[in-house]
Structures are given as C-alpha cells and as structure tokens.
Amino acid sequence: TTLFRSIYVNNNAGTTISVIDPATNKVVQVIEGIEVPEAAQFSPDGGRVYVSSGGENVLYVVDRKTGKHIKKVPLSGYPNDLAVTKDGRRVLICIRTYPGTLDIIDTTTLEKVKSIPSKSGLHDIVVTGDGKYAVVGSPEGEYLTVIDLQSEQPAWEVQFDRGVLPLAIESNPDG
C-alpha cells in the first residue's frame, strides 16, 4: 500500500503541475496554464487545489478531479508559499514583493479579503495544529511573525540574526 494518494510536482520553470500516482510512478494528470507555479495546497475536503502563480501574481483555484481552473484571484505581488486554514475558510499566501504582505483569500467568495503588511517579503508559512495561528517567515527580514487567525492580525514577532523560513510546528498533546 502507498502512503500518498497523489504527488503534485510544480514545474516552476514552466506552466504545468504534474500529478503522479505513487502506486504506478506514472503521471496521471497534468494541470496546465499556470505560469511559474510556486506552491500548491488542498482544501480540507480535497476538492480543490490552490496554486500560487509567480508569473501572474495570482492564486489559481483548481478543481482537483478535473484539473480545470475555477478562478484566478489577483494578489498583492509575487507569491511564494501558501497555507489553507484547518477549517478551509481561508487561503493564506506569502507575498515576496517588497514590502511584503500576507494575503488572505476567502474560499467561499474566492476574493482577497485582507492583506496584512510586513516589514519585508514573506516566503514560508505554517498553520498550527489547532488552527489558531499561522507562522510566516522572511528570508531577508530576519524575523518571523505569528498571526492570530481569528482576528487576522499579527500576535507577536521573533527576531533572528538571519532570514528565517519556518518549516514545521510541533504541537503539544492538547493541540
């Protein structure tokens, strides 16, 4: 038995995402027409794939089953990593373009509802296991910011002596 249902591979130098079946090691779907796909994440129900496009500065909303584009949502600038909130109501996108923002997309209306400004371009994002916070990092800014997802405001910041890219959050047993 395989550990993964599908593997999505962004062709960052092109316009496609290859979907691989790990049971056969074969490409079973190609999602086309997304210039410079940066990152991809899924809706909690698995019905949608959200893809940030660096070539167009948009978020593509894609039907996972068919690979067809549902909508292109304009962003504040060049996107990098993205995350979907645990409840599936928001997509959070790190914007690398100076001065940097965290764009928030409502998954019902498929519109940008907020941009949280930062001091420098943002690159990576991780949502806590309990879904209460998002941690975003800046490779140039030497800090990470914790965002309270209920208020959609910065909660606190941690300074470093170099740029940071948060990779994972370890949760306590209580979440």
Side-chain angles (χ1 to χ4, degrees):
T1 195
T2 59
L3 296 174
F4 311 109
R5 186 164 79 185
S6 298
I7 300 168
Y8 283 64
V9 180
N10 293 349
N11 176 358
N12 192 257
T15 62
T16 61
I17 296 173
S18 298
V19 182
I20 300 167
D21 178 348
T24 63
N25 296 326
K26 299 212 182 295
V27 174
V28 295
Q29 182 183 44
V30 176
I31 300 170
E32 298 180 330
I34 300 177
E35 189 177 342
V36 189
E38 282 288 333
Q41 293 290 335
F42 303 92
S43 60
D45 68 2
R48 291 179 176 171
V49 183
Y50 301 105
V51 182
S52 56
S53 166
E56 300 176 76
N57 296 345
V58 299
L59 175 73
Y60 274 88
V61 181
V62 178
D63 181 276
R64 188 196 58 76
K65 188 173 182 180
T66 66
K68 301 291 182 201
H69 302 179
I70 296 169
K71 186 166 183 185
K72 288 186 342 184
V73 181
L75 300 172
S76 299
Y78 190 95
N80 277 124
D81 199 12
L82 63 97
V84 180
T85 58
K86 299 293 180 189
D87 62 10
R89 295 180 338 119
R90 299 284 201 242
V91 179
L92 314 167
I93 303 134
C94 292
I95 303 299
R96 186 77 181 258
T97 307
Y98 185 81
T101 60
L102 181 68
D103 280 357
I104 300 176
I105 309 302
D106 181 290
T107 60
T108 301
T109 64
L110 297 179
E111 298 290 335
K112 181 174 65 169
V113 293
K114 189 168 195 171
S115 292
I116 300 172
S118 64
K119 297 182 282 188
S120 63
L122 300 177
H123 195 282
D124 286 0
I125 184 167
V126 182
V127 175
T128 59
D130 62 9
K132 293 181 180 179
Y133 299 96
V135 179
V136 294
S138 173
E140 297 92 19
E142 301 175 352
Y143 68 95
L144 65 78
T145 302
V146 177
I147 305 293
D148 179 316
L149 293 176
Q150 182 158 358
S151 67
E152 296 181 345
Q153 294 293 325
W156 69 87
E157 187 175 283
V158 179
Q159 289 295 136
F160 291 86
D161 62 351
R162 297 198 173 149
V164 295
L165 301 174
L167 298 175
I169 297 172
E170 180 181 17
S171 295
N172 286 328
D174 65 358

PDB file of all heavy atoms in Angstrom, residues 86-105:
ATOM      1  N   LYS A  86      -7.294  25.327   8.801  1.00  0.00           N
ATOM      2  CA  LYS A  86      -7.820  24.000   9.147  1.00  0.00           C
ATOM      3  C   LYS A  86      -9.311  23.872   8.835  1.00  0.00           C
ATOM      4  O   LYS A  86      -9.777  22.803   8.450  1.00  0.00           O
ATOM      5  CB  LYS A  86      -7.582  23.682  10.625  1.00  0.00           C
ATOM      6  CG  LYS A  86      -6.130  23.654  11.020  1.00  0.00           C
ATOM      7  CD  LYS A  86      -5.380  22.516  10.380  1.00  0.00           C
ATOM      8  CE  LYS A  86      -3.934  22.550  10.825  1.00  0.00           C
ATOM      9  NZ  LYS A  86      -3.110  21.624  10.100  1.00  0.00           N
ATOM     10  N   ASP A  87     -10.057  24.978   8.984  1.00  0.00           N
ATOM     11  CA  ASP A  87     -11.490  24.933   8.689  1.00  0.00           C
ATOM     12  C   ASP A  87     -11.782  25.127   7.201  1.00  0.00           C
ATOM     13  O   ASP A  87     -12.934  25.038   6.774  1.00  0.00           O
ATOM     14  CB  ASP A  87     -12.253  25.971   9.517  1.00  0.00           C
ATOM     15  CG  ASP A  87     -11.832  27.410   9.235  1.00  0.00           C
ATOM     16  OD1 ASP A  87     -11.078  27.668   8.268  1.00  0.00           O
ATOM     17  OD2 ASP A  87     -12.260  28.295  10.001  1.00  0.00           O
ATOM     18  N   GLY A  88     -10.743  25.412   6.409  1.00  0.00           N
ATOM     19  CA  GLY A  88     -10.907  25.561   4.971  1.00  0.00           C
ATOM     20  C   GLY A  88     -11.503  26.871   4.516  1.00  0.00           C
ATOM     21  O   GLY A  88     -11.734  27.072   3.323  1.00  0.00           O
ATOM     22  N   ARG A  89     -11.728  27.805   5.427  1.00  0.00           N
ATOM     23  CA  ARG A  89     -12.371  29.081   5.065  1.00  0.00           C
ATOM     24  C   ARG A  89     -11.432  30.097   4.435  1.00  0.00           C
ATOM     25  O   ARG A  89     -11.882  31.020   3.770  1.00  0.00           O
ATOM     26  CB  ARG A  89     -13.033  29.711   6.294  1.00  0.00           C
ATOM     27  CG  ARG A  89     -14.185  28.898   6.836  1.00  0.00           C
ATOM     28  CD  ARG A  89     -14.859  29.526   8.058  1.00  0.00           C
ATOM     29  NE  ARG A  89     -14.023  30.452   8.781  1.00  0.00           N
ATOM     30  CZ  ARG A  89     -14.307  31.756   8.963  1.00  0.00           C
ATOM     31  NH1 ARG A  89     -15.412  32.267   8.516  1.00  0.00           N
ATOM     32  NH2 ARG A  89     -13.481  32.525   9.641  1.00  0.00           N
ATOM     33  N   ARG A  90     -10.126  29.955   4.657  1.00  0.00           N
ATOM     34  CA  ARG A  90      -9.161  30.935   4.170  1.00  0.00           C
ATOM     35  C   ARG A  90      -7.952  30.247   3.532  1.00  0.00           C
ATOM     36  O   ARG A  90      -7.531  29.176   3.966  1.00  0.00           O
ATOM     37  CB  ARG A  90      -8.651  31.808   5.321  1.00  0.00           C
ATOM     38  CG  ARG A  90      -9.707  32.615   6.038  1.00  0.00           C
ATOM     39  CD  ARG A  90     -10.119  33.802   5.207  1.00  0.00           C
ATOM     40  NE  ARG A  90     -10.732  34.853   5.983  1.00  0.00           N
ATOM     41  CZ  ARG A  90     -11.978  35.261   5.798  1.00  0.00           C
ATOM     42  NH1 ARG A  90     -12.745  34.702   4.896  1.00  0.00           N
ATOM     43  NH2 ARG A  90     -12.459  36.255   6.522  1.00  0.00           N
ATOM     44  N   VAL A  91      -7.413  30.934   2.518  1.00  0.00           N
ATOM     45  CA  VAL A  91      -6.104  30.586   1.966  1.00  0.00           C
ATOM     46  C   VAL A  91      -5.190  31.750   2.309  1.00  0.00           C
ATOM     47  O   VAL A  91      -5.541  32.922   2.089  1.00  0.00           O
ATOM     48  CB  VAL A  91      -6.149  30.369   0.435  1.00  0.00           C
ATOM     49  CG1 VAL A  91      -4.763  30.043  -0.104  1.00  0.00           C
ATOM     50  CG2 VAL A  91      -7.129  29.263   0.074  1.00  0.00           C
ATOM     51  N   LEU A  92      -4.025  31.446   2.880  1.00  0.00           N
ATOM     52  CA  LEU A  92      -3.057  32.448   3.321  1.00  0.00           C
ATOM     53  C   LEU A  92      -1.852  32.369   2.389  1.00  0.00           C
ATOM     54  O   LEU A  92      -1.249  31.303   2.252  1.00  0.00           O
ATOM     55  CB  LEU A  92      -2.633  32.153   4.757  1.00  0.00           C
ATOM     56  CG  LEU A  92      -3.765  31.835   5.742  1.00  0.00           C
ATOM     57  CD1 LEU A  92      -3.208  31.267   7.026  1.00  0.00           C
ATOM     58  CD2 LEU A  92      -4.613  33.063   5.992  1.00  0.00           C
ATOM     59  N   ILE A  93      -1.493  33.495   1.761  1.00  0.00           N
ATOM     60  CA  ILE A  93      -0.426  33.483   0.770  1.00  0.00           C
ATOM     61  C   ILE A  93       0.660  34.481   1.138  1.00  0.00           C
ATOM     62  O   ILE A  93       0.393  35.673   1.333  1.00  0.00           O
ATOM     63  CB  ILE A  93      -0.965  33.818  -0.628  1.00  0.00           C
ATOM     64  CG1 ILE A  93      -2.081  32.828  -0.994  1.00  0.00           C
ATOM     65  CG2 ILE A  93       0.131  33.769  -1.675  1.00  0.00           C
ATOM     66  CD1 ILE A  93      -3.261  33.487  -1.568  1.00  0.00           C
ATOM     67  N   CYS A  94       1.895  33.984   1.219  1.00  0.00           N
ATOM     68  CA  CYS A  94       3.056  34.847   1.469  1.00  0.00           C
ATOM     69  C   CYS A  94       3.390  35.607   0.197  1.00  0.00           C
ATOM     70  O   CYS A  94       3.595  35.003  -0.860  1.00  0.00           O
ATOM     71  CB  CYS A  94       4.267  34.005   1.877  1.00  0.00           C
ATOM     72  SG  CYS A  94       4.104  33.220   3.476  1.00  0.00           S
ATOM     73  N   ILE A  95       3.482  36.933   0.315  1.00  0.00           N
ATOM     74  CA  ILE A  95       3.836  37.778  -0.819  1.00  0.00           C
ATOM     75  C   ILE A  95       5.270  38.248  -0.629  1.00  0.00           C
ATOM     76  O   ILE A  95       5.607  38.876   0.380  1.00  0.00           O
ATOM     77  CB  ILE A  95       2.874  38.978  -0.960  1.00  0.00           C
ATOM     78  CG1 ILE A  95       1.424  38.482  -1.105  1.00  0.00           C
ATOM     79  CG2 ILE A  95       3.285  39.865  -2.127  1.00  0.00           C
ATOM     80  CD1 ILE A  95       1.139  37.608  -2.310  1.00  0.00           C
ATOM     81  N   ARG A  96       6.100  37.928  -1.607  1.00  0.00           N
ATOM     82  CA  ARG A  96       7.533  38.215  -1.529  1.00  0.00           C
ATOM     83  C   ARG A  96       7.863  39.644  -1.972  1.00  0.00           C
ATOM     84  O   ARG A  96       8.862  40.218  -1.557  1.00  0.00           O
ATOM     85  CB  ARG A  96       8.286  37.198  -2.392  1.00  0.00           C
ATOM     86  CG  ARG A  96       9.774  37.265  -2.325  1.00  0.00           C
ATOM     87  CD  ARG A  96      10.298  36.628  -1.040  1.00  0.00           C
ATOM     88  NE  ARG A  96      11.725  36.695  -0.935  1.00  0.00           N
ATOM     89  CZ  ARG A  96      12.537  35.693  -1.172  1.00  0.00           C
ATOM     90  NH1 ARG A  96      12.078  34.527  -1.560  1.00  0.00           N
ATOM     91  NH2 ARG A  96      13.826  35.842  -1.028  1.00  0.00           N
ATOM     92  N   THR A  97       7.029  40.225  -2.831  1.00  0.00           N
ATOM     93  CA  THR A  97       7.276  41.572  -3.347  1.00  0.00           C
ATOM     94  C   THR A  97       7.376  42.555  -2.186  1.00  0.00           C
ATOM     95  O   THR A  97       6.512  42.582  -1.301  1.00  0.00           O
ATOM     96  CB  THR A  97       6.140  41.996  -4.296  1.00  0.00           C
ATOM     97  OG1 THR A  97       5.976  40.994  -5.301  1.00  0.00           O
ATOM     98  CG2 THR A  97       6.442  43.333  -4.949  1.00  0.00           C
ATOM     99  N   TYR A  98       8.443  43.391  -2.188  1.00  0.00           N
ATOM    100  CA  TYR A  98       8.665  44.370  -1.132  1.00  0.00           C
ATOM    101  C   TYR A  98       7.505  45.341  -1.083  1.00  0.00           C
ATOM    102  O   TYR A  98       7.035  45.779  -2.114  1.00  0.00           O
ATOM    103  CB  TYR A  98       9.983  45.127  -1.367  1.00  0.00           C
ATOM    104  CG  TYR A  98      10.306  46.073  -0.237  1.00  0.00           C
ATOM    105  CD1 TYR A  98      10.897  45.609   0.920  1.00  0.00           C
ATOM    106  CD2 TYR A  98       9.962  47.406  -0.323  1.00  0.00           C
ATOM    107  CE1 TYR A  98      11.164  46.471   1.970  1.00  0.00           C
ATOM    108  CE2 TYR A  98      10.224  48.272   0.719  1.00  0.00           C
ATOM    109  CZ  TYR A  98      10.824  47.791   1.863  1.00  0.00           C
ATOM    110  OH  TYR A  98      11.077  48.636   2.907  1.00  0.00           O
ATOM    111  N   PRO A  99       6.987  45.717   0.072  1.00  0.00           N
ATOM    112  CA  PRO A  99       7.491  45.398   1.392  1.00  0.00           C
ATOM    113  C   PRO A  99       6.997  44.073   1.938  1.00  0.00           C
ATOM    114  O   PRO A  99       7.372  43.690   3.031  1.00  0.00           O
ATOM    115  CB  PRO A  99       6.986  46.555   2.242  1.00  0.00           C
ATOM    116  CG  PRO A  99       5.683  46.922   1.632  1.00  0.00           C
ATOM    117  CD  PRO A  99       5.869  46.674   0.155  1.00  0.00           C
ATOM    118  N   GLY A 100       6.154  43.358   1.214  1.00  0.00           N
ATOM    119  CA  GLY A 100       5.660  42.066   1.655  1.00  0.00           C
ATOM    120  C   GLY A 100       4.336  42.177   2.370  1.00  0.00           C
ATOM    121  O   GLY A 100       4.062  43.155   3.066  1.00  0.00           O
ATOM    122  N   THR A 101       3.496  41.175   2.154  1.00  0.00           N
ATOM    123  CA  THR A 101       2.214  41.091   2.840  1.00  0.00           C
ATOM    124  C   THR A 101       1.845  39.625   2.992  1.00  0.00           C
ATOM    125  O   THR A 101       2.421  38.750   2.354  1.00  0.00           O
ATOM    126  CB  THR A 101       1.069  41.779   2.057  1.00  0.00           C
ATOM    127  OG1 THR A 101       0.923  41.145   0.794  1.00  0.00           O
ATOM    128  CG2 THR A 101       1.302  43.248   1.866  1.00  0.00           C
ATOM    129  N   LEU A 102       0.861  39.381   3.825  1.00  0.00           N
ATOM    130  CA  LEU A 102       0.208  38.089   3.871  1.00  0.00           C
ATOM    131  C   LEU A 102      -1.187  38.321   3.326  1.00  0.00           C
ATOM    132  O   LEU A 102      -2.009  38.993   3.947  1.00  0.00           O
ATOM    133  CB  LEU A 102       0.146  37.545   5.303  1.00  0.00           C
ATOM    134  CG  LEU A 102      -0.507  36.169   5.417  1.00  0.00           C
ATOM    135  CD1 LEU A 102       0.366  35.101   4.747  1.00  0.00           C
ATOM    136  CD2 LEU A 102      -0.763  35.817   6.875  1.00  0.00           C
ATOM    137  N   ASP A 103      -1.456  37.821   2.112  1.00  0.00           N
ATOM    138  CA  ASP A 103      -2.779  37.972   1.513  1.00  0.00           C
ATOM    139  C   ASP A 103      -3.689  36.872   2.037  1.00  0.00           C
ATOM    140  O   ASP A 103      -3.271  35.720   2.180  1.00  0.00           O
ATOM    141  CB  ASP A 103      -2.698  37.877  -0.013  1.00  0.00           C
ATOM    142  CG  ASP A 103      -2.244  39.178  -0.658  1.00  0.00           C
ATOM    143  OD1 ASP A 103      -2.044  40.181   0.050  1.00  0.00           O
ATOM    144  OD2 ASP A 103      -2.104  39.190  -1.895  1.00  0.00           O
ATOM    145  N   ILE A 104      -4.937  37.248   2.311  1.00  0.00           N
ATOM    146  CA  ILE A 104      -5.925  36.303   2.822  1.00  0.00           C
ATOM    147  C   ILE A 104      -7.081  36.231   1.819  1.00  0.00           C
ATOM    148  O   ILE A 104      -7.695  37.250   1.491  1.00  0.00           O
ATOM    149  CB  ILE A 104      -6.428  36.726   4.215  1.00  0.00           C
ATOM    150  CG1 ILE A 104      -5.243  36.776   5.195  1.00  0.00           C
ATOM    151  CG2 ILE A 104      -7.512  35.777   4.703  1.00  0.00           C
ATOM    152  CD1 ILE A 104      -5.594  37.274   6.580  1.00  0.00           C
ATOM    153  N   ILE A 105      -7.353  35.002   1.363  1.00  0.00           N
ATOM    154  CA  ILE A 105      -8.407  34.760   0.387  1.00  0.00           C
ATOM    155  C   ILE A 105      -9.554  34.010   1.064  1.00  0.00           C
ATOM    156  O   ILE A 105      -9.330  33.014   1.752  1.00  0.00           O
ATOM    157  CB  ILE A 105      -7.883  33.902  -0.796  1.00  0.00           C
ATOM    158  CG1 ILE A 105      -6.595  34.487  -1.386  1.00  0.00           C
ATOM    159  CG2 ILE A 105      -8.966  33.697  -1.851  1.00  0.00           C
ATOM    160  CD1 ILE A 105      -6.691  35.891  -1.899  1.00  0.00           C
TER     161      ILE A 105
END
